Amino acid sequence: KAGVTQTPRYLIKTRGQQVTLSCSPISGHRSVSWYQQTPGQGLQFLFEYFSETQRNKGNFPGRFSGRQFSNSRSEMNVSTLELGDSALYLCASSSRGGAKDTQYFGPGTRLTVL
Amino acid sequence: GENVEQHPSTLSVQEGDSAVIKCTYSDSASNYFPWYKQELGKRPQLIIDIRSNVGEKKDQRIAVTLNKTAKHFSLHITETQPEDSAVYFCAAHEADSWGKLQFGAGTQVVVTP
């Protein structure tokens, strides 16, 4: 099976702009989780989607949002970008998102905000 | 919510020696504990995991132990090789917390030949 894919791999934006990142899960996986990775804060959970529904959300401001489509592909959006949003954004897919399911990570999207 | 602490933050070992990384968690309801390895510029990759009904699990040179009473779990790498050099993350999955892994801060492991 093909692994988790993310597009684009790199993005450069300026403050105030918005950005949309895309994640395609492993075929058959219905749960997609998003994480932000920074040197200072490590890996932090953003949100999780299953069957087009957000089931869990981390402690991020409302500028961070996401959605999932009927084919399980997911997008996340960040509006009104701030310098501190510069990070590696990783998505991970699993069968159902439960404790019995391994999460497999995509390669990430490196976002730089200038 | 769950909080995971990981130690040490950096670990330098001679090739052939063993490496041990320790993590503690706060939520006794957490029931799944994966370990990920992330090489520079690459995605995190699962190397081993353990569930709360098991005390130890081995896979070749890698082993993980879990002490539910003390709420800590450890990664053991034996006969380390230069290709083991990477950042290792422990994580905990809270019960009833869909799709959310709480990660430790990571351990930079450097294996010197």
Side-chain angles (χ1 to χ4, degrees):
Chain A
K1 282 184 180 177
V4 180
T5 59
Q6 292 186 246
T7 57
R9 294 293 311 278
Y10 302 91
L11 267 177
I12 299 176
K13 294 286 186 179
T14 56
R15 280 180 297 174
Q17 288 187 309
Q18 74 166 20
V19 67
T20 299
L21 314 180
S22 179
C23 173
S24 292
I26 291 171
S27 178
H29 284 189
R30 296 168 62 192
S31 169
V32 175
S33 299
W34 287 89
Y35 296 86
Q36 181 194 65
Q37 186 174 27
T38 60
Q41 298 297 319
L43 280 153
Q44 291 190 292
F45 173 78
L46 282 155
F47 29 64
E48 186 258 3
Y49 287 86
F50 179 84
S51 291
E52 303 178 66
T53 300
Q54 184 184 90
R55 293 193 299 188
N56 206 347
K57 190 177 191 306
N59 296 323
F60 279 82
R63 300 185 297 106
F64 291 81
S65 63
R67 60 177 174 168
Q68 187 180 36
F69 302 94
S70 58
N71 62 357
S72 295
R73 188 177 70 85
S74 177
E75 289 182 347
M76 67 164 281
N77 184 278
V78 188
S79 62
T80 319
L81 285 166
E82 300 177 0
L83 295 179
D85 296 334
S86 294
L88 180 66
Y89 290 89
L90 292 158
C91 74
S93 79
S94 66
S95 292
R96 298 176 303 277
K100 296 182 180 180
D101 301 324
T102 300
Q103 290 191 22
Y104 297 91
F105 282 87
T109 294
R110 172 75 61 185
L111 173 64
T112 302
V113 182
L114 302 175
Chain B
E2 176 65 275
N3 182 51
V4 177
E5 294 192 357
Q6 183 172 346
H7 298 280
S9 57
T10 59
L11 182 58
S12 183
V13 297
Q14 285 288 123
E15 182 178 358
D17 288 349
S18 295
V20 180
I21 303 170
K22 298 181 180 181
C23 290
T24 60
Y25 61 99
S26 60
D27 189 346
S28 57
S30 290
N31 54 11
Y32 172 61
F33 307 91
W35 286 87
Y36 286 86
K37 173 185 179 181
Q38 188 175 29
E39 297 176 72
L40 190 63
K42 302 278 185 71
R43 71 187 77 190
Q45 295 212 310
L46 179 78
I47 55 171
I48 197 166
D49 57 12
I50 192 166
R51 293 185 167 82
S52 57
N53 59 344
V54 175
E56 183 175 3
K57 184 177 179 180
K58 286 184 180 180
D59 183 3
Q60 299 183 332
R61 297 187 296 109
I62 294 172
V64 57
T65 58
L66 171 65
N67 183 325
K68 288 190 296 181
T69 303
K71 289 188 285 187
H72 69 69
F73 56 112
S74 299
L75 178 72
H76 304 253
I77 307 173
T78 58
E79 300 173 18
T80 53
Q81 300 167 5
E83 52 265 37
D84 294 329
S85 296
V87 179
Y88 292 79
F89 293 95
C90 64
H93 188 290
E94 301 173 51
D96 302 324
S97 177
W98 297 109
K100 177 181 179 181
L101 290 174
Q102 186 70 40
F103 283 88
T107 296
Q108 174 75 61
V109 173
V110 177
V111 181
T112 52

